[in-house]
């Protein structure tokens, strides 16, 4: 694997304006000056590894990713601490999931070391773009696509792995306030044996229809149920889901149809560390409604890299609404949000070995790679 990253910097006059008002960042709207890219073919392996000024990609109109969806991606963040440090959070988990997604879609994989080097080099080069306001960060989007021009249905032989980054605020317009969720009783996200646990474009393209229904009814997101019985809770559009029932923290198990979220795993670990009762178990939508109506279900929240911890205030299922925790952010969501964001910004003792400060580590190597 080619380890050298050639860097071509943007001309000063072509630099983009860095947004200054963090309250208006939103999510996924701004992109920095450079992107990382590398290409794969059977003869050369990964090669042409570089960081260059942002530009439209040039791929063949017949590229396999455009016709048969061989595309996988990741989402992670770089954080600027109060101490001015630059922090990454559990990036190895994203590297691992990207490899798993690639394997599921019969795509060429990227090894952990290469992934980490690519992410760190780009983040360090673009460090001015990391916002400093609370609840903001530099969102990192690694992507792999099959690029060979061929219209027969078979796995690609040529791939591009690229990474774009951009400053981002809260994913939802609600910020860290309860969201209203619509439970889909007809459309399903994934079936066992399908693509549900891969982070691939198809899962998101497929979700748009139900997402549109939810929006038009005044809800922010869709909660998916299982594809066979239409009964068991799976996940929310861009997040995993948690419920607190009689002080027990419950989330559906990873059984092949659910995205194995890094934040999900972190929340499970943190809650166990805090001595809470934690269960990864099947939970039906009927149980959720019964327990919410009886008052035993006191909190629900989603977890995700983009969404962080996102409280759920209202659920709607088959025309019936239930309000959770008086439609207010609950104590566990609050505590987790506070702890996680402090940890990610290097402000908490890193008990789990999840946080890596990168600005001190790699800056010399960055200069060496400057090509
Ligand atoms: C993330 O949380 O990073 C995601 O990838 C969700 C995204 C589809 C908005």
């Amino acid at each position: 694997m080619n380890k050298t990253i050639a860097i071509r910097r943007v001309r000063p006059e072509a630099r983009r304006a860095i947004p200054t008002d963090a309250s208006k960042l939103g999510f996924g709207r701004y992109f920095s000056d450079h992107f990382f890219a590398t290409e794969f073919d059977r003869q050369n392996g990964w090669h042409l590894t570089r960081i260059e000024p942002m530009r439209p990609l040039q791929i063949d109109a017949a590229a396999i990713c455009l016709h048969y969806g061989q595309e996988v991606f990741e989402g992670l963040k770089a954080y600027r601490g109060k101490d001015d440090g630059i922090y990454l959070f559990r990036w190895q988990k994203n590297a691992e999931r990207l490899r798993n997604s690639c394997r599921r879609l019969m795509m060429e994989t990227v090894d952990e070391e290469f992934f980490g080097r690519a992410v760190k080099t780009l983040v360090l080069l673009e460090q001015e773009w990391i916002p400093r306001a609370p609840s903001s960060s530099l969102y990192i989007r690694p992507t792999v696509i099959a690029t060979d021009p061929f219209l027969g249905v078979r796995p690609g032989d040529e791939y591009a792995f690229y990474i774009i980054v951009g400053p981002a605020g809260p994913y939802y317009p609600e910020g860290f306030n309860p969201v209203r969720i619509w439970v889909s009783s007809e459309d399903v996200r994934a079936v066992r044996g399908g693509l549900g646990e891969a982070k691939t474009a198809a899962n998101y393209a497929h979700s748009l229809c139900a997402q549109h229904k939810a929006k038009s009814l005044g809800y922010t997101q869709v909660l998916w149920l299982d594809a066979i019985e239409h009964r068991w809770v799976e996940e929310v559009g861009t997040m995993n889901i948690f419920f607190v029932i009689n002080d027990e923290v419950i989330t559906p198990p990873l059984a092949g149809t659910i995205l194995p979220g890094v934040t999900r795993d972190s929340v499970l670990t943190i809650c166990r560390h805090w001595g809470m009762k934690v269960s990864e178990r099947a939970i039906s939508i009927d149980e959720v409604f019964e327990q919410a109506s009886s008052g035993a279900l006191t909190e629900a929240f989603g977890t995700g890299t983009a969404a962080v911890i996102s409280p759920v205030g209202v659920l709607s299922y088959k025309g019936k609404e239930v309000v959770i925790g008086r439609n207010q952010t609950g104590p566990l969501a609050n505590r987790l949000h506070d702890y996680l964001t402090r940890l990610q910004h290097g402000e908490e003792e890193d008990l789990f070995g999840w946080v890596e400060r990168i600005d001190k580590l790699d800056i010399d190597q960055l200069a060496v790679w400057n090509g």
Side-chain angles (χ1 to χ4, degrees):
M1 203 162 269
N2 188 343
K3 300 265 193 258
T4 309
I5 302 178
I7 299 175
R8 185 160 66 80
R9 286 176 199 266
V10 69
R11 282 176 287 115
E13 66 277 16
R15 291 187 71 165
R16 301 170 173 201
I18 300 177
T20 47
D21 185 351
S23 68
K24 300 219 173 75
L25 281 176
F27 176 84
R29 273 194 224 136
Y30 296 101
F31 303 99
S32 71
D33 285 316
H34 301 88
F35 75 116
F36 168 93
T38 183
E39 286 162 43
F40 176 91
D41 63 36
R42 300 273 166 232
Q43 211 180 356
N44 300 298
W46 290 107
H47 64 292
L48 284 177
T49 302
R50 77 260 181 204
I51 288 173
E52 58 169 305
M54 268 298 252
R55 62 170 172 82
L57 287 184
Q58 265 187 317
I59 55 172
D60 201 291
I64 289 178
C65 64
L66 299 177
H67 298 270
Y68 305 125
Q70 262 195 310
E71 188 268 11
V72 300
F73 69 95
E74 269 305 316
L76 66 160
K77 288 174 170 173
Y79 307 86
R80 176 71 79 173
K82 285 197 187 123
D83 60 357
D84 223 33
I86 299 171
Y87 296 94
L88 292 179
F89 182 74
R90 306 192 78 183
W91 62 266
Q92 298 87 345
K93 295 288 278 181
N94 298 93
E96 181 188 356
R97 191 171 59 188
L98 187 76
R99 286 198 302 281
N100 290 339
S101 300
C102 283
R103 286 192 192 110
R104 180 64 187 82
L105 276 95
M106 298 294 294
M107 297 170 68
E108 190 58 33
T109 58
V110 175
D111 73 34
E112 178 177 302
E113 195 273 337
F114 192 39
F115 178 98
R117 190 184 291 256
V119 166
K120 290 177 200 173
T121 309
L122 184 62
V123 169
L124 287 173
L125 187 75
E126 300 293 58
Q127 54 183 279
E128 279 172 86
W129 286 84
I130 309 174
R132 288 172 190 269
S135 302
S136 66
S137 56
L138 188 76
Y139 187 74
I140 305 167
R141 174 52 66 87
T143 306
V144 185
I145 51 176
T147 51
D148 35 337
F150 184 65
L151 292 188
V153 179
R154 60 135 172 90
D157 281 323
E158 296 169 20
Y159 293 89
F161 166 43
Y162 65 90
I163 307 176
I164 54 178
V165 298
Y171 184 76
Y172 296 116
E174 289 90 336
F176 182 51
N177 289 308
V179 290
R180 292 163 53 78
I181 302 272
W182 181 72
V183 184
S184 170
S185 52
E186 286 172 8
D187 296 26
V188 294
R189 177 181 173 274
V191 287
R192 242 175 243 174
L195 288 177
E197 66 186 346
K199 202 158 176 66
T200 181
N203 286 328
Y204 297 85
H206 168 71
S207 74
L208 297 176
C209 208
Q211 174 67 23
H212 175 73
K213 282 187 211 161
K215 275 256 151 78
S216 61
L217 293 168
Y219 299 91
T220 307
Q221 278 280 337
V222 177
L223 175 66
W224 300 103
L225 302 180
D226 77 284
I228 296 171
E229 295 181 63
H230 292 244
R231 178 170 170 223
W232 303 103
V233 171
E234 298 234 303
E235 66 179 87
V236 180
T238 55
M239 318 185 278
N240 295 113
I241 184 90
F242 284 76
F243 302 98
V244 183
I245 301 180
N246 294 324
D247 292 328
E248 180 182 0
V249 182
I250 300 163
T251 195
L254 300 177
T257 52
I258 293 179
L259 192 83
V262 178
T263 314
R264 174 189 181 278
D265 184 76
S266 307
V267 162
L268 288 171
T269 306
I270 292 166
C271 287
R272 285 188 183 116
H273 172 72
W274 285 345
M276 307 186 74
K277 185 163 182 222
V278 174
S279 306
E280 292 176 73
R281 69 156 169 93
I283 178 163
S284 70
I285 192 65
D286 299 325
E287 179 181 349
V288 168
F289 266 65
E290 274 159 34
Q291 303 280 23
S293 309
S294 77
L297 192 164
T298 46
E299 275 189 63
F301 55 86
T303 63
T305 298
V308 194
I309 303 289
S310 187
V312 175
V314 173
L315 282 175
S316 164
Y317 177 54
K318 293 189 173 168
K320 227 176 100 189
E321 266 197 1
V322 71
V323 175
I324 298 173
R326 299 193 315 283
N327 197 16
Q328 307 208 328
T329 303
L332 182 61
N334 248 324
R335 186 179 178 201
L336 281 166
H337 184 270
D338 188 54
Y339 182 77
L340 250 186
T341 48
R342 287 174 52 79
L343 189 61
Q344 289 165 335
H345 285 80
E347 293 165 26
E348 279 286 341
E349 190 188 346
D350 182 17
L351 298 175
F352 311 103
W354 288 344
V355 183
E356 184 174 346
R357 181 169 175 164
I358 61 169
D359 51 309
K360 295 216 162 103
L361 288 180
D362 289 345
I363 199 88
D364 292 344
Q365 285 158 332
L366 181 65
V368 173
W369 291 334
N370 206 345

